[in-house]
Amino acid sequence: MEPERAERARDRLVDQLTAAGRLSAERVARAMRAVPRHEFVPETACEHAYEDRPLHIGREQVVTAPHLVAQMTELLGLRPGQTVLEVGTGSGYHAAVVAEIVGPENVFTIERFPDLAASARAALDRTGYGAVTVVVGDGSMGLPRHPPFDRINVTAVAPTVPGPLVDQLADGGRMVVPLGSRDGSHELVVLTKRAGRVERTTHGRVRFVPLVGEHGFEGSGEGRPGELGRGRWVARRRSSMAGRRQQPPTGTPQGWSYSISRTSTSNVSTWSARSGSKSTVTASSSTSTTSPSKPVIAWTCNPTSAGPSTIRSNSSRS
Ligand code: SAM
């Protein structure tokens, strides 16, 4: 889609949402005018990117409809500089809208499907939100090593509020989370933490895909955690995986592994190994010329060795 045409379509969408009373915060409107939604959807859905509806992104998942992105972002009450955890990266679009307000370096987003995380990573890089951190893992557990977060945005419906997310919310922090049953209707809930107490308000009926995981609808074990810093995905064949008994994480094409490479001077990543896990995360080196602060990570399915909980790379500095 040509940039001018996309910009006009975006303006029209934001104007429509505003006229319909579904968007009122100027900050959110500005962010939604800025983020090119068509860059975050599959090419086949590109023509529909500026219609107010969810769009399929693969793995039976969707990018949230714009009016809901607007509502949830408004409910988060974002200010520049706040740290935000998003659970359910999906396409990466909502993370980009949030990043537009708080600054990309303050946004952490978790996705359970590695291939969706990879597409989101690529779209965020392409559109100028490369400093957003994308993590593959069970977002219902949050990111215990990164708290506290000023805001937490859960973009899939949970049966109950995931306890670890409440723990990782800063005092004065706010969480937006859809709650409900797997197949029923869902309610958009805002939780505000004050002096250790959590206040709850409700904001209407909505419909979301399920949050699957330890504190979601079922313990799935999918999406082995590994931090995907800003960078480039490289898929390469690993013939050594052929015939092994253990399966790679969901989303990893049969017999393939993924590497993430990016420029960095600091190469620390966390990976919370869960018992029984047979995947490893290894750090690789980079010789590129820029020096941002995010890690260089190669993430590899290695069915034979158990993964460490913290990875430090000996990668070379640029
Ligand atoms: N925010 C997304 C966007 O802008 O495209 C839309 C998210 S989609 C409605 C919900 C996402 O949550 C899906 O991509 C799904 O795979 C993911 N998800 C579900 N359970 C999860 C979990 N426990 N951890 C991380 N991601 C999860």
Side-chain angles (χ1 to χ4, degrees):
M1 193 180 281
E2 301 147 29
E4 296 78 19
R5 191 174 147 229
E7 203 176 318
R8 281 198 302 277
R10 237 172 6 253
D11 282 344
R12 217 167 26 244
L13 173 64
V14 171
D15 291 345
Q16 280 163 5
L17 294 175
T18 307
R22 307 199 95 158
L23 172 54
S24 55
E26 186 46 42
R27 215 170 244 171
V28 178
R30 255 201 320 271
M32 290 183 69
R33 283 187 205 280
V35 178
R37 191 171 186 248
H38 68 279
E39 291 280 358
F40 290 85
V41 299
E43 223 170 300
T44 47
C46 189
E47 280 303 312
H48 305 289
Y50 297 109
E51 294 167 16
D52 186 19
R53 57 156 151 147
L55 295 168
H56 289 283
I57 54 173
R59 298 224 162 255
E60 300 181 355
Q61 306 301 323
V62 292
V63 49
T64 309
H67 73 269
L68 259 184
V69 170
Q71 184 185 7
M72 293 173 84
T73 313
E74 287 196 354
L75 288 172
L76 284 168
L78 300 171
R79 289 194 304 276
Q82 287 177 325
T83 53
V84 181
L85 173 66
E86 179 189 56
V87 176
T89 311
S91 68
Y93 170 71
H94 203 162
V97 171
V98 168
E100 187 62 34
I101 300 172
V102 301
E105 65 284 3
N106 298 316
V107 180
F108 298 80
T109 178
I110 316 179
E111 172 55 52
R112 75 186 181 106
F113 288 117
D115 50 353
L116 292 187
S119 304
R121 169 79 281 151
L124 288 162
D125 287 346
R126 229 177 17 245
T127 51
Y129 302 100
V132 169
T133 297
V134 179
V135 177
V136 175
D138 177 3
S140 74
M141 310 279 287
L143 279 183
R145 294 179 192 231
H146 288 274
F149 292 99
D150 299 311
R151 300 290 185 260
I152 297 180
N153 189 27
V154 184
T155 69
V157 63
T160 55
V161 182
L165 299 185
V166 176
D167 294 344
Q168 292 165 37
L169 195 59
D171 196 44
R174 196 180 295 179
M175 184 190 324
V176 174
V177 54
L179 295 178
S181 61
R182 191 170 186 138
D183 300 315
S185 83
H186 312 140
E187 188 157 56
L188 197 55
V189 171
V190 173
L191 303 172
T192 309
K193 198 171 179 181
R194 281 201 192 92
R197 293 191 51 202
V198 177
E199 293 161 16
R200 175 178 169 147
T201 54
T202 55
H203 300 268
R205 310 305 293 182
V206 287
R207 189 118 182 88
F208 275 88
V209 296
L211 181 79
V212 177
E214 195 79 20
H215 296 269
F217 280 96
E218 64 213 31
S220 73
E222 288 173 315
R224 297 289 177 220
E227 188 169 310
L228 316 184
R230 192 179 104 190
R232 194 163 56 87
W233 279 85
V234 181
R236 62 170 187 261
R237 191 92 185 140
R238 274 179 66 87
S239 54
S240 60
M241 289 183 66
R244 301 274 177 99
R245 266 186 306 117
Q246 286 283 336
Q247 290 301 305
T250 303
T252 305
Q254 190 72 33
W256 289 73
S257 68
Y258 291 105
S259 298
I260 316 297
S261 63
R262 69 181 301 273
T263 56
S264 178
T265 55
S266 143
N267 299 297
V268 180
S269 179
T270 57
W271 185 71
S272 37
R274 293 169 62 173
S275 60
S277 166
K278 297 291 182 190
S279 296
T280 61
V281 177
T282 50
S284 72
S285 64
S286 166
T287 53
S288 56
T289 51
T290 52
S291 57
S293 58
K294 295 278 180 84
V296 174
I297 300 299
W299 178 74
T300 304
C301 304
N302 178 352
T304 55
S305 54
S309 58
T310 302
I311 316 295
R312 283 174 200 279
S313 151
N314 55 1
S315 98
S316 59
R317 287 170 186 253
S318 52

